[in-house]
Amino acid sequence: QVQLVESGGGLVQPGGSLRLSCAASGSIFRINTLGWYRQAPGKQRELVATITNGGNRNYADSVKGRFTISRDSAKNTVYLQMNSLKPEDTAVYYCNAAAQPMGIITVRNYWGQGTQVTVSS
């Protein structure tokens, strides 16, 4: 019903930048909150940042001031600009959407397949 496809991950040196993108497609009536989560090896998945359809943003303390989440509602796309990257930012980053498919009255939670971000010299 709703598919999320991430792109933009890769290998970057400490202090560098990356921009992740996530495009939603399918039979979509409405997308509410979009977000990014990450999971490092041996750790639980954690919230990185979210943005509502009204533009309200929420960030994990560990990324405040370094990461910026944004969305293009016309393109059903969410972005994560990551600056001043640190080795501890290394993880698989997952896109998340709270979306209402066409013909469905409830909002459902969707996940992308994940994109690897590695910060290393």
Side-chain angles (χ1 to χ4, degrees):
Q1 293 167 324
V2 178
Q3 296 80 42
L4 302 176
V5 178
E6 301 108 332
S7 61
L11 173 65
V12 63
Q13 292 186 341
S17 299
L18 280 176
R19 188 191 193 210
L20 305 183
S21 300
C22 173
S25 62
S27 184
I28 302 170
F29 174 69
R30 179 177 60 210
I31 299 178
N32 293 344
T33 300
L34 288 162
W36 290 95
Y37 292 71
R38 66 187 181 187
Q39 187 167 17
K43 295 187 177 181
Q44 290 188 332
R45 190 173 298 187
E46 63 176 4
L47 178 146
V48 176
T50 60
I51 183 168
T52 68
N53 53 8
N56 292 318
R57 296 170 172 84
N58 180 50
Y59 295 96
D61 288 343
S62 59
V63 306
K64 282 181 181 177
R66 300 188 298 122
F67 291 10
T68 302
I69 189 170
S70 61
R71 68 190 284 172
D72 184 336
S73 295
K75 296 181 180 179
N76 287 335
T77 300
V78 61
Y79 306 95
L80 185 68
Q81 178 66 43
M82 305 185 293
N83 298 329
S84 301
L85 282 160
K86 305 175 181 180
E88 50 263 44
D89 293 318
T90 296
V92 177
Y93 283 70
Y94 295 92
C95 176
N96 175 268
Q100 184 177 356
M102 289 286 192
I104 305 295
I105 61 172
T106 57
V107 175
R108 298 181 176 181
N109 204 30
Y110 296 91
W111 292 94
Q113 80 287 355
T115 185
Q116 177 70 46
V117 172
T118 302
V119 185
S120 175
S121 55

